[in-house]
Amino acid sequence: MKAHVGVVGLAVMGQNLALNIARNGYAVAVYNRTAERTKQFVEERVKGEKIIPSFDVQSFVESVERPRKIILMVKAGSPVDEMIEELLPYLDKDDLIIDAGNSHYGDTNRRLEELSHRGILFLGMGVSGGEYGALHGPSIMPGGTLEAYKMIQDVLTKIAAKTEDGPCCTYVGNGSAGHFVKMVHNGIEYSIMQAISEVYDVMRKILKMNSVEIGEVFEEWNKSELASFLVEITYKIMKHIDEETKKPLVELILDKAEQKGTGKWTAQTALDLGVPTPSLNVAVFARTISHFKEQRKELSRIFGEKKRVHAEQRLIEDLKKSLHFSMFLSFSQGLWLIHEASNVYNYNVDLLEVLRIWKGGCIIRAKLLDLLRSILRENPQNVNLLASETTIQFVKEKLPSALKVNSIARESGVPTPVLSNSIDYLLSLTEENLPANLIQAQRDFFGAHTFERTDKQGTFHVEWQELE
Ligand SMILES: NC(=O)c1ccc[n+]([C@@H]2O[C@H](COP(=O)([O-])OP(=O)(O)OC[C@H]3O[C@@H](n4cnc5c(N)ncnc54)[C@H](OP(=O)(O)O)[C@@H]3O)[C@@H](O)[C@H]2O)c1
């Protein structure tokens, strides 16, 4: 028996994805660089599924039916190139390699180009949902040629999460569109995680709530329009008690946030493409700042204790609206970035489809996505979702609370970078007159960079001071 699909890489994601495919009725060939991991996988996790293990690359490739469809689930970066090089001698023309890791879209473009010269089809595919999603149904974002997608479409749509709007998988677009969209998904994920953490910080530092009480609030919120995977895991985290100390475990976790790069790439790309994504970008910096634990400890000692202002418990309602506001604007920024990239890189991404496949399986799935889809459906050109009556209404309801939270947090010395940058993003974009006129004047003053005028056409320069 030959396998329908091959999976390379049997760490958490690869194991679960292989099992998911097999449980949907396909025979799956598997290979991992370190044989021990393959053995362990087969012994401990395979329970009658059609999994065909191999311990060398040639046998693995030969165990997959032609044209082959081989999914790579290995560490992003050079391991993907190394694995492709190892596979190539045994592949035939029109075989398909699918890179399902978190590769940088620039690498995906390069691989697409290189492999097309060698007659091999290639898809760059984002997979979101962690190990649970990989096993039970992730959100899948494949990009490349439509021809390549068609070869694997049946498998992907079967294994993807399902919602009332269909399987959470679509052909995202040309070239590296799949990895680009997955990268921005992660950028939005960083921003929402940070916004939730800021709300938590206000609750514990200003409202003096304990973790279990905070967990109860998030649990309630998860039954409302804020319902989302990230709010759900937050309440579960808050209520998780450490067996050893009997304290909420979250209180024992060191406040240094790690990152693997996709948030940083999103921020860098937004800067390169000139799209404003301040909430997404500061979420990355918030993790960076968290790393300076020793310095923070020392400076907090030198600067002394911050005076927290008193706030009533009803601030919780404002926090809820403030979080909702930031979540909305995080999506607004991310969608705008995808739209711009789609134009610049000819991805041809359908943003409505992107929002649809984020509804299930993925880390940023949220009830809010239905609202965003309805706004975008009204006017598909409204790529940052701002120019809509629904958005105006939403902002009217949420902005006063966001401002109140921002003000109380500021007065109390609690940093809320995502909550406050979301406000500035909205205020700036809804302001006809920004002080950029002064910046232009300053640039012209010291660098003769010229400026445009509001009262006549052309480019101007003024001698602001006498040069001796
Ligand atoms: N973990 C998540 O929640 C998650 C979610 C979405 C996407 N992703 C992405 O999915 C991919 C896999 O993630 P993961 O967490 O399962 O595993 P990982 O820790 O990123 O990677 C480990 C896997 O890569 C293999 N590998 C590393 N270097 C290799 C090389 N030079 N040649 C061949 N194989 C090599 C390892 O093989 P050995 O056993 O031989 O070391 C192992 O199978 C990554 O791109 C990750 O960013 C992860």
Side-chain angles (χ1 to χ4, degrees), residues 9-14 32-34 37 73-76 79 82-83 100-102 127 130 182:
L10 293 173
V12 281
M13 292 299 285
N32 191 74
R33 178 183 60 174
T34 309
R37 215 198 271 266
M73 251 306 180
V74 298
K75 203 176 166 70
E82 287 163 30
M83 210 49 245
N102 277 337
V127 176
K182 173 61 179 9

Side-chain angles (χ1 to χ4, degrees), residues 4-8 29 57 60-62 64-65 67-73 83 87 90-91 95-100 121-123 152:
H4 187 67
V5 195
V7 173
V8 177
V57 176
F60 165 73
V61 172
E62 285 170 358
V64 185
E65 68 187 25
R68 300 181 181 90
K69 297 168 279 290
I70 294 177
I71 299 176
L72 301 183
M73 251 306 180
M83 210 49 245
L87 288 166
Y90 310 109
L91 294 180
D95 282 350
L96 167 65
I97 297 177
I98 302 147
D99 173 16
L121 296 163
F122 186 70
L123 285 174
I152 190 82

